Amino acid sequence: MSVLNGKKILLGISGGIAAYKTASLVRLFIKAGAHVQVIMTPASKDFITPLTLSTLSKNPVYSSFYNQDDENEKWNNHVELALWADLMIIAPATANTVSKMANGTCDNLLIAAYLSAKCPVYFAPAMDLDMYKHPSTLANFTFLKQFGNTIIPAESGELASGLSGEGRMAEPEHIVAFITDDLNSKLPLKGKKILITAGPTYEAIDPVRFIGNHSSGKMGFDIASSAANLGASVILISGPTNCTVSNPLIHVIPVVSAEEMYLACHQFYADVDAVVAAAAVADYRPKHVAQQKIKKAATNFVIELEKTKDILASLGLLKKNQFLIGFALETENEIENAKLKIQKKNLDLIVLNSLQDEGAGFGKATNKVTFIDKFFHIESMELKSKEAVAADILNKIMMHFGMQR
């Protein structure tokens, strides 16, 4: 999954011949899963039509402060456009537009939106080689970088003047790759490895029957997706579930039984920075597993059970620098039981669920949790989607590592 997936991109287009390439640029952003809103300078419409860009972006294209052809003239709010965006990209950024950006010359809608932007801004210069290397242009580049803007370096090649050299706007594919690489390098959990367990375990009775539970795995999978979207490399050890992931940073290890999950956790534990044990692991398993399907015969049937290995407690014993998070699903004395679990299993944080809370528990899209840390600080959260709860859990991990989203 691209880091651009779901991002709201405000694409500013100024009046240079390279504007014709922005049709491809819009398509690449859309293909990466981004939402694109285009602002054009009046001059840029001589090189590519607003209709083309509106069709590709599936949004209206703005180029003036109000809709001049509308009988009921409507102001195009540059502040709303700027605040809507997660990213602003100005491509092509002509020498004229770069100068206006650097000096705050606000004479068109694009510059007004730029001056109102609170999001990261990228600009891709496009001009002739002498203009690109002129001291005034270089000074403007320096100003913009000091403002926190990021330059996408121009490329060398044949220019509109007929000369050949540096000044061509980077190709659309290169612009997308540059922004993607830059965003990935700045993700807060870049370089961190997180182990996550999810789903139920099935403990075999015979070849066709098992002891299990109602866990869907959704909570663990949402935590994995949230961690990967923040740049972490994720090892997701999952019991049987219908949940899926698409992010290449998530390595899924399918298991069935508690014993298989125990072995998988211990295989990877030494190399991870954090563990989120969200799986609903069976506490007991049949002591003897029948090799053939058990036939219905006697009125009463007894299965002798034995305890499974306590995965979380075993990880707590081996803990060195790992940040260890467990889950607790309780039906009574929730807080006290969760505190005991923190102590017995050497946890840093526990995520407490109560079946007493409406909207929480197995098989639901929502969850209501209480965070309790190893110092017994308690933080009760409201009912949220499991995606939002996953984000809260990742915030706890980032706080532990001194990072911010």
Side-chain angles (χ1 to χ4, degrees):
M1 181 185 296
S2 170
V3 71
L4 295 175
N5 185 58
K7 287 283 192 293
K8 293 176 285 188
I9 294 177
L10 186 61
L11 175 61
I13 303 173
S14 62
I17 185 62
Y20 83 90
K21 297 181 181 180
T22 57
S24 296
L25 186 57
V26 170
R27 292 192 68 174
L28 289 170
F29 283 141
I30 297 292
K31 186 176 180 180
H35 308 285
V36 180
Q37 178 67 67
V38 176
I39 300 179
M40 304 177 71
T41 65
S44 70
K45 294 190 287 185
D46 293 332
F47 300 97
I48 186 168
T49 67
L51 178 60
T52 297
L53 297 169
S54 176
T55 302
L56 292 172
S57 68
K58 299 179 175 60
N59 279 314
V61 171
Y62 301 102
S63 61
S64 61
F65 287 101
Y66 62 94
N67 299 330
Q68 299 173 354
D69 298 329
D70 193 335
E71 290 183 2
N72 302 308
E73 294 176 355
K74 180 182 177 183
W75 176 45
N76 294 323
N77 191 329
H78 60 277
V79 175
E80 284 186 4
L81 289 167
L83 295 181
W84 168 84
D86 297 314
L87 302 170
M88 185 173 190
I89 294 110
I90 300 175
T94 61
N96 185 41
T97 291
V98 167
S99 176
K100 290 178 181 180
M101 292 166 64
N103 294 284
T105 306
C106 187
D107 64 353
N108 62 48
L109 183 65
L110 172 55
I111 300 301
Y114 163 74
L115 293 175
S116 301
K118 301 292 190 293
C119 62
V121 176
Y122 296 83
F123 65 102
M127 60 198 75
D128 211 72
L129 72 166
D130 293 325
M131 299 168 69
Y132 190 74
K133 294 189 177 297
H134 193 278
S136 64
T137 304
L138 296 177
N140 288 332
F141 290 163
T142 299
F143 280 137
L144 293 181
K145 286 187 278 190
Q146 289 174 348
F147 296 163
N149 301 165
T150 301
I151 186 170
I152 302 172
E155 298 176 356
S156 293
E158 186 177 350
L159 303 168
S161 65
L163 300 175
S164 184
E166 195 173 16
R168 286 173 58 121
M169 185 181 85
E171 293 300 316
E173 294 84 357
H174 299 165
I175 290 175
V176 173
F178 181 96
I179 295 170
T180 298
D181 290 344
D182 188 63
L183 291 176
N184 278 328
S185 71
K186 295 173 180 174
L187 290 173
L189 290 176
K190 179 78 172 178
K192 297 295 182 185
K193 185 177 287 188
I194 300 178
L195 187 155
I196 298 167
T197 66
T201 64
Y202 290 171
E203 310 304 324
I205 297 171
D206 62 21
V208 297
R209 301 181 181 92
F210 60 85
I211 296 172
N213 57 63
H214 296 296
S215 174
S216 66
K218 179 172 171 52
M219 188 73 258
F221 274 70
D222 285 343
I223 296 167
S225 293
S226 184
N229 289 340
L230 292 169
S233 175
V234 177
I235 298 165
L236 176 58
I237 302 171
S238 175
T241 175
N242 292 322
C243 297
T244 59
V245 292
S246 58
N247 195 310
L249 290 173
I250 303 175
H251 177 40
V252 180
I253 310 243
V255 298
V256 176
S257 67
E259 179 67 16
E260 290 176 355
M261 185 170 285
Y262 175 94
L263 293 173
C265 287
H266 281 264
Q267 179 183 348
F268 297 101
Y269 183 56
D271 296 325
V272 302
D273 299 289
V275 175
V276 184
V281 183
D283 293 322
Y284 292 90
R285 66 184 180 190
K287 188 171 184 179
H288 304 288
V289 179
Q291 298 304 305
Q292 303 296 329
K293 179 183 176 183
I294 300 171
K295 298 296 185 180
K296 182 168 64 174
T299 304
N300 296 318
F301 178 63
V302 177
I303 300 175
E304 186 179 1
L305 301 178
E306 63 181 3
K307 277 190 174 182
T308 58
K309 293 175 183 174
D310 191 323
I311 298 173
L312 202 49
S314 69
L315 298 182
L317 285 173
L318 296 172
K319 185 170 71 171
K320 293 181 180 177
N321 298 315
Q322 295 93 340
F323 186 61
L324 191 54
I325 301 176
F327 271 66
L329 178 62
E330 302 290 345
T331 59
E332 59 181 354
N333 300 322
E334 292 95 339
I335 298 295
E336 292 309 312
N337 286 334
K339 287 180 178 179
L340 286 173
K341 193 170 184 178
I342 290 172
Q343 291 177 317
K344 288 172 61 178
K345 304 192 180 189
N346 193 23
L347 305 182
D348 295 291
L349 181 73
I350 201 161
V351 184
L352 172 61
N353 296 267
S354 173
L355 286 180
Q356 305 300 324
D357 294 321
E358 186 176 350
F362 291 143
K364 295 184 172 65
T366 56
N367 207 351
K368 186 175 187 297
V369 304
T370 298
F371 293 114
I372 308 175
D373 66 19
K374 62 184 178 182
F375 304 110
F376 295 160
H377 297 142
I378 299 172
E379 182 180 3
S380 297
M381 311 299 285
E382 61 188 20
L383 183 70
K384 298 182 179 183
S385 69
K386 286 186 174 176
E387 292 89 345
V389 174
D392 289 339
I393 292 169
L394 267 297
N395 282 335
K396 296 294 184 184
I397 293 174
M398 288 189 291
M399 288 172 60
H400 172 74
F401 290 117
M403 302 170 180
Q404 292 184 340
R405 184 182 287 268

